[in-house]
Amino acid sequence: MSDNVTRRKRVVIAGAGPAGLTAAYTLLKQAPGLYEPVIFEATDAIGGISQTVRHNGNRIDIGGHRFFSKSDRVTDFWNEVMPMQTSPAADELLLGAAPAHDTAHDPEQTDRVMLKRRRVSRIYYLRRFFDYPVRLSVATLRAMGLGRTFKAGMGYLATKFNRRPETSLENFYINRFGKPLYEMFFEDYTEKVWGVHPSKLGADWGSQRVKGLSITAILKDIVAKQFGPKRDAREVETSLIEEFVYPKLGPGQLWETVAVEVKAMGGRIEMHTEVTAIEADGTTGKIGAVEVCDNATGERRKVECDYFISSMPVADLVTRLQGFDVPSDIRRDAAALPYRDFITVGLLVPKLKIKNETKLATYADRIPDTWIYVQERDVKLGRIQVFNNWSPYMVKDFKDKVWIGLEYFCNEGDALWEMADADFIDMARRELASIGIIDADDVEDAVRIKIKKAYPAYFGTYSQMEAIRGYLDTIPNLYCVGRNGQHRYNNMDHSMLTAMEAAEAIMAGKTDKAAVWSVNTEQEYHESK
């Protein structure tokens, strides 16, 4: 490539997840002809954890992704790539009606549209359902019983007179819900997710995931709904939203569409290609090139760049810096940053044993839940997704089958991670039967999916993340974006915003990264999931 002033500046991007793709799209859309984004994705999947996995005609959403944001920039992006469906069919789908025709497996008929969905999440505890977020409803009080209800009320009142220092996630939750409700609905599930007790987790996780959610917020929401004017969704605490939009074929459909648009505008995406080294330009202190490896052939090559946007895990980023004078404590602490890995088991069954006892109309009167948080202590299972309720087009035989995802949290290399697929699926099937959700013999098809470093964790050397960030910010043309890129448990829209900020900093010639890192530090907004 010519080095004259008219050449496009090359922006190497590590990762084809929401952050990486958003950065490339923003550069190409807002500054056509000026930048050459090149995305290197180590796997065969577009979308990172927001991918849609296909299995025998059915689709799996890894982790579940509600499309809701209080940012106009994000919603405008979604609407531009995949408009909201406004036909009467959208209302039918909101009620869970069966698709009028199957377009999910006919590429020529597949519409790039978002469907409007109803948010229903509940906690499964004591073999009963409780609304989540916890609601002070008659059904909740009946399920808890008089003794537990009284104890919960007194526990919450106690927080008004004895607030705990928020030095841990446990204290964060207790301050907002009281100790009894914390023990019933948060303690065990949180330990399943992170593998450590909430008393050992930093309160930062709570401040980012459930910022405005508390008993007080729930009471205010109830009063506002009953007696106040109809509010814009952006005025509602995010964990209390009741509707969201969702791509017809799952979140991966949107990111696969973005990938097509990026290529059409002149960007490059190379799959099965991993960034294995990030090399310094000795004269400028900037990143001058990266080494990439073709994971299929093992071939390595050097790619020069003007900018580097990283959505790779911070632990990998720092380890792969070459030619930089990285302080030994930064290398050590970054390499030890903790992560939590993730396993999903898809199960196809003819029916669920649990009945729809809500007032919500659903197809064939199935339960309406998108997610079910499993608080039961006698199973390792953390959460259940019912894909029929995310989008009927996720299920090949929506009318006669139920396609569910069972979610487990683990560490790479531990007993759960190393278990053979057949054994793990059998364990999952038996666990689900043991808590009364299915009959074990009803399972007709199953698949297991493993995702590394799905959740950056908030313990161990996470306490040194500010120092690590401080060092990374000294590299002028390095921008860290996304969940793993910032070691921050962002939702998808926040990952997108970090990428937009990074792209705009590049276009403006800014090396100050404060705006990129400041996304999701506001106290009024985030959703628990």
Side-chain angles (χ1 to χ4, degrees):
M1 178 180 289
S2 171
D3 288 329
N4 63 52
V5 294
T6 61
R7 76 171 180 88
R8 292 196 297 165
K9 293 184 177 180
R10 180 176 292 155
V11 183
V12 167
I13 301 172
L21 288 164
T22 299
Y25 186 94
T26 302
L27 288 167
L28 292 164
K29 196 77 174 178
Q30 295 187 18
L34 297 182
Y35 298 95
E36 178 196 7
V38 183
I39 300 176
F40 295 110
E41 169 56 50
T43 73
D44 63 352
I46 291 290
I49 198 173
S50 300
Q51 65 187 270
T52 299
V53 177
R54 297 159 176 81
H55 176 74
N56 292 342
N58 297 303
R59 286 171 162 80
I60 289 176
D61 178 351
I62 302 294
H65 292 84
R66 297 190 182 103
F67 284 66
F68 173 85
S69 181
K70 294 184 178 181
S71 165
D72 288 336
R73 296 162 75 189
V74 170
T75 54
D76 288 347
F77 182 104
W78 289 337
N79 289 333
E80 183 175 297
V81 175
M82 194 170 288
M84 173 67 194
Q85 179 170 316
T86 57
S87 68
D91 296 327
E92 295 170 9
L93 291 170
L94 179 60
L95 296 175
H101 56 282
D102 181 13
T103 65
H105 313 287
D106 183 352
E108 293 183 359
Q109 296 296 322
T110 298
D111 296 322
R112 294 179 177 180
V113 296
M114 294 276 204
L115 305 177
K116 191 177 182 182
R117 310 305 290 149
R118 176 184 286 121
R119 177 248 174 89
V120 181
S121 298
R122 289 186 291 177
I123 296 169
Y124 197 64
Y125 174 60
L126 302 174
R127 293 350 187 222
R128 300 172 185 150
F129 279 112
F130 294 83
D131 289 335
Y132 182 79
V134 178
R135 301 183 189 278
L136 300 181
S137 63
V138 173
T140 299
L141 300 179
R142 185 185 300 118
M144 287 177 59
L146 183 61
R148 285 193 187 90
T149 300
F150 179 77
K151 187 177 179 181
M154 296 304 294
Y156 177 67
L157 288 176
T159 67
K160 299 302 179 184
F161 303 98
N162 183 28
R163 301 229 5 130
R164 300 185 176 211
E166 293 193 349
T167 54
S168 69
L169 184 59
E170 178 175 66
N171 287 354
F172 179 93
Y173 274 131
I174 290 173
N175 281 345
R176 284 153 182 76
F177 296 95
K179 190 172 183 180
L181 282 177
Y182 155 74
E183 291 175 339
M184 279 190 279
F185 296 132
F186 298 99
E187 184 176 24
D188 292 311
Y189 176 78
T190 302
E191 188 164 5
K192 284 181 185 180
V193 172
W194 297 109
V196 297
H197 192 267
S199 61
K200 303 289 195 303
L201 284 168
D204 287 17
W205 185 88
S207 70
Q208 288 180 23
R209 301 302 297 181
V210 291
K211 290 175 179 171
L213 185 61
S214 65
I215 291 294
T216 302
I218 292 170
L219 289 171
K220 287 180 179 178
D221 185 65
I222 292 171
V223 171
K225 286 176 180 174
Q226 291 295 320
F227 304 106
K230 183 175 177 60
R231 294 175 295 169
D232 185 280
R234 299 174 193 221
E235 300 174 8
V236 180
E237 159 57 33
T238 310
S239 287
L240 301 174
I241 64 165
E242 295 184 343
E243 290 182 348
F244 59 97
V245 295
Y246 193 74
K248 190 173 182 177
L249 302 180
Q253 183 189 18
L254 181 133
W255 296 113
E256 290 160 16
T257 301
V258 173
V260 169
E261 295 294 327
V262 165
K263 292 176 184 177
M265 289 188 288
R268 285 164 46 201
I269 302 175
E270 297 190 25
M271 307 300 291
H272 298 284
T273 306
E274 184 171 3
V275 175
T276 51
I278 301 121
E279 302 176 2
D281 179 328
T283 61
T284 65
K286 296 180 178 181
I287 295 169
V290 300
E291 177 193 76
V292 298
C293 177
D294 185 317
N295 289 334
T297 66
E299 177 188 354
R300 294 175 184 266
R301 71 185 194 276
K302 184 175 180 177
V303 180
E304 295 182 349
C305 63
D306 297 287
Y307 303 94
F308 182 59
I309 297 177
S310 174
S311 68
M312 68 168 63
V314 172
D316 295 339
L317 171 66
V318 175
T319 300
R320 296 173 190 182
L321 289 174
Q322 295 185 359
F324 292 92
D325 186 18
V326 184
S328 58
D329 58 332
I330 297 296
R331 282 198 184 274
R332 180 195 66 226
D333 293 339
L337 282 170
Y339 297 86
R340 198 68 166 145
D341 304 293
F342 187 72
I343 297 174
T344 295
V345 173
L347 294 182
L348 187 69
V349 294
K351 64 182 184 305
L352 302 179
K353 290 178 68 176
I354 46 181
K355 306 299 182 184
N356 180 21
E357 296 179 352
T358 73
K359 295 180 180 179
L360 299 177
T362 65
Y363 181 78
D365 204 32
R366 293 170 180 155
I367 61 169
D369 305 74
T370 47
W371 272 323
I372 300 169
Y373 295 86
V374 180
Q375 184 73 5
E376 304 291 16
R377 297 175 178 177
D378 55 338
V379 294
K380 296 181 176 66
L381 174 62
R383 195 169 61 184
I384 304 167
Q385 288 194 76
V386 185
F387 296 116
N388 300 59
N389 296 332
W390 287 93
S391 168
Y393 297 94
M394 297 279 281
V395 186
K396 182 178 181 181
D397 185 0
F398 174 86
K399 293 183 179 180
D400 297 318
K401 307 295 179 186
V402 182
W403 179 232
I404 54 179
L406 312 185
E407 299 180 355
Y408 291 83
F409 310 92
C410 60
N411 292 325
E412 184 181 356
D414 68 12
L416 286 178
W417 186 266
E418 295 298 327
M419 192 180 296
D421 286 350
D423 294 337
F424 196 100
I425 289 169
D426 185 59
M427 177 196 72
R429 176 179 61 87
R430 287 185 285 103
E431 282 201 342
L432 201 60
S434 74
I435 60 175
I437 305 294
I438 66 167
D439 284 323
D441 294 336
D442 278 353
V443 175
E444 299 176 4
D445 192 12
V447 64
R448 180 195 189 197
I449 301 157
K450 298 159 74 173
I451 301 290
K452 295 180 182 179
K453 292 183 170 65
Y455 301 114
Y458 288 64
F459 55 89
T461 59
Y462 168 75
S463 61
Q464 302 304 311
M465 189 58 211
E466 280 301 307
I468 296 169
R469 170 197 162 178
Y471 171 75
L472 293 174
D473 281 352
T474 66
I475 303 175
N477 61 342
L478 168 65
Y479 299 84
C480 296
V481 301
R483 176 180 281 192
N484 276 332
Q486 295 192 340
H487 202 87
R488 182 177 291 161
Y489 194 174
N490 286 326
N491 269 354
M492 180 171 56
D493 61 332
H494 288 99
S495 292
M496 293 171 63
L497 284 169
T498 64
M500 292 175 182
E501 291 288 354
E504 289 168 3
I506 288 171
M507 290 184 287
K510 293 180 180 178
T511 58
D512 184 349
K513 321 296 171 49
V516 182
W517 288 99
S518 67
V519 172
N520 189 24
T521 58
E522 73 279 15
Q523 289 301 308
E524 77 275 10
Y525 164 41
H526 217 300
E527 177 177 4
S528 170
K529 81 172 187 180

